[in-house]
Amino acid sequence: ELERYRRELESVLRLEAHTLSPEEEKLLAEAGEMASAPDTIYSMLTDADFTFGEIEGEDGKPVTLTSGRFIPLLESKDRRVRRDAYEAYYKKYHEFSNTIAATYAASVKKDAFFARTRGYSGAREMSLFENEIPESVYDALIEAVHRHLPAMHRYLALRKKALGVDKLHFYDIYVPIVPDVDMGVDYEAACKIVVENLKPLGEQYVEDLKHAFTDGWIDVYENQGKTSGAYSWGTYGAHPYVLMNFTEDLNGTTTLAHELGHAMHSWHSNHAQPFAKAGYSLFVAEVASTCNEVLLMRHLLSKTTDKKQRAYLINHFLEQFRTTVYRQTMFAEFELKIHALAEAGEALTADVL
């Protein structure tokens, strides 16, 4: 009779050593809203309060700089536009560097406090324990990426050569290195492309996927004060919700495919499993989404014989490796070092960070 609760009960038993008395657990639960304050404050600051002003666009007309427009502007063929967007965007963050550092330090100290209180060796063990991931996996990822940094350096050297720049700046790493190729499409066309490229996942998958476009699953466009980026979220018994800030370029289409991978993962899990078994760990969450991105890229590459378009798509594919593999691991290594400093009693100032 308890079979459907097996995984949940196993998880509870695994956490026994790190579970406190009822009175102590009640105190920690009541501190939850305060514990989430750093994330809330940072989101309010950067998503609601920040304004980045205007820059001069490629056509000489003023363009209002926003988080949603930042990457498209970094893809401009005009290096002056890329540089102006980069400098204006990060100037705002730099103005608030001490505030952001203090907010992040509070978040790190919160992690250290909960790890210490629950008897973990540190914040990393606490973060990985629930997902049943050994800390050695984290170390192995960082080691493997370090070992393959020459591939990244080779790609960046190729990018520098193709762009013909004397020095490769951060604002040069998003612009396509294949000029004069327009892969931009509007939202309706992007939806059709995503449906077409996900057909290998089966008729039922595609039929379920179409509900995302017709039944209000997706908040599509950027608005003032809206959270930047894109994500998918849901709750058992209701369809998933996708938030994005769609841009009419290849990034917009791949992001749509990515987030719908998360949404369909939740959709199928919730329909195939009872509530107690429907949840999935963060460790596997990105499998469905990155799989969708790869299917999209393979589909687009199979449909074009134009050499410039193929080169453009392969460049985009390499960018996905740069960001999804190398950049995310860089974030992981940063967090590891910063949490170690905090646990050693170091002050996390803007300069230290």
Side-chain angles (χ1 to χ4, degrees):
E1 291 177 358
L2 294 175
E3 177 59 35
R4 69 162 56 193
Y5 302 106
R6 176 181 296 278
R7 284 290 295 150
E8 197 164 335
L9 291 170
E10 286 174 348
S11 297
V12 169
L13 292 172
R14 280 188 75 251
L15 289 166
E16 183 179 8
H18 302 287
T19 302
L20 309 180
S21 70
E23 292 78 13
E24 290 168 319
E25 287 292 341
K26 182 173 183 289
L27 278 173
L28 290 183
E30 289 179 349
E33 192 170 348
M34 287 187 291
S36 66
D39 183 61
T40 303
I41 292 166
Y42 178 76
S43 180
M44 289 296 105
L45 178 67
T46 58
D47 293 327
D49 291 341
F50 272 13
T51 55
F52 302 99
E54 293 181 341
I55 66 164
E56 185 181 310
E58 290 181 2
D59 58 2
K61 296 178 180 177
V63 176
T64 301
L65 180 60
T66 65
S67 292
R69 289 178 183 156
F70 181 54
I71 297 300
L73 286 167
L74 289 189
E75 294 175 340
S76 170
K77 297 170 189 174
D78 187 332
R79 199 179 194 207
R80 191 269 310 162
V81 171
R82 302 198 303 268
R83 185 191 66 241
D84 289 354
Y86 172 81
E87 291 179 350
Y89 192 77
Y90 281 108
K91 180 184 177 185
K92 178 59 66 173
Y93 279 87
H94 185 68
E95 287 174 2
F96 289 87
S97 57
N98 291 316
T99 300
I100 293 170
T103 307
Y104 182 61
S107 178
V108 172
K109 289 174 183 176
K110 174 258 299 182
D111 293 339
F113 167 77
F114 278 97
R116 188 168 60 248
T117 302
R118 293 198 174 281
Y120 291 98
S121 62
R124 183 174 72 163
E125 185 194 12
M126 180 179 70
S127 178
L128 298 178
F129 188 84
E130 237 176 278
N131 288 309
E132 302 176 59
I133 305 169
E135 290 186 84
S136 58
V137 172
Y138 201 108
D139 292 327
L141 171 66
I142 292 173
E143 189 277 328
V145 167
H146 272 271
R147 189 157 25 94
H148 289 87
L149 277 174
M152 163 73 89
H153 297 157
R154 182 182 171 200
Y155 166 60
L156 291 176
L158 173 66
R159 168 173 283 278
K160 178 184 173 184
K161 181 180 178 182
L163 293 176
V165 296
D166 57 340
K167 182 179 180 181
L168 196 71
H169 287 274
F170 185 88
Y171 50 77
D172 295 318
I173 63 175
Y174 285 92
V175 58
I177 60 178
V178 183
D180 304 322
V181 177
D182 182 11
M183 297 290 292
V185 293
D186 61 23
Y187 176 68
E188 288 71 23
C191 293
K192 291 177 182 176
I193 290 170
V194 169
V195 168
E196 182 68 24
N197 93 88
L198 295 181
K199 283 183 178 178
L201 296 176
E203 290 182 13
Q204 188 59 56
Y205 186 98
V206 171
E207 285 306 308
D208 292 338
L209 175 68
K210 289 177 181 177
H211 289 287
F213 308 122
T214 58
D215 297 357
W217 291 22
I218 308 170
D219 181 0
V220 180
Y221 297 108
E222 183 180 28
N223 280 309
Q224 187 174 356
K226 181 179 175 180
T227 298
S228 60
Y231 65 84
S232 173
W233 198 255
T235 185
Y236 196 83
H239 66 70
Y241 289 89
V242 171
L243 175 145
M244 47 183 315
N245 294 275
F246 183 80
T247 51
E248 294 186 353
D249 54 20
L250 188 55
N251 281 325
T253 306
T254 55
T255 300
L256 180 63
H258 179 105
E259 297 307 328
L260 286 173
H262 288 308
M264 293 304 294
H265 186 178
S266 297
W267 172 266
H268 283 292
S269 186
N270 289 348
H271 280 74
Q273 301 288 350
F275 175 77
K277 289 184 176 181
Y280 49 83
S281 75
L282 184 63
F283 194 55
V284 301
E286 295 299 327
V287 175
S289 54
T290 49
C291 174
N292 276 15
E293 285 193 61
V294 173
L295 284 172
L296 171 65
M297 195 55 59
R298 289 173 67 91
H299 171 78
L300 293 173
L301 283 167
S302 72
K303 292 292 184 182
T304 181
T305 55
D306 182 274
K307 285 188 176 181
K308 276 194 172 183
Q309 276 200 350
R310 286 186 63 79
Y312 184 93
L313 290 168
I314 291 169
N315 178 197
H316 191 87
F317 213 177
L318 289 169
E319 279 295 292
Q320 289 174 306
F321 278 97
R322 179 181 68 78
T323 55
T324 306
V325 180
Y326 287 95
R327 183 181 63 186
Q328 295 303 115
T329 306
M330 182 184 70
F331 293 158
E333 187 173 11
F334 174 81
E335 285 194 292
L336 177 63
K337 290 181 176 181
I338 295 305
H339 280 76
L341 284 175
E343 287 163 359
E346 297 286 335
L348 300 184
T349 64
D351 288 339
V352 168
L353 295 173

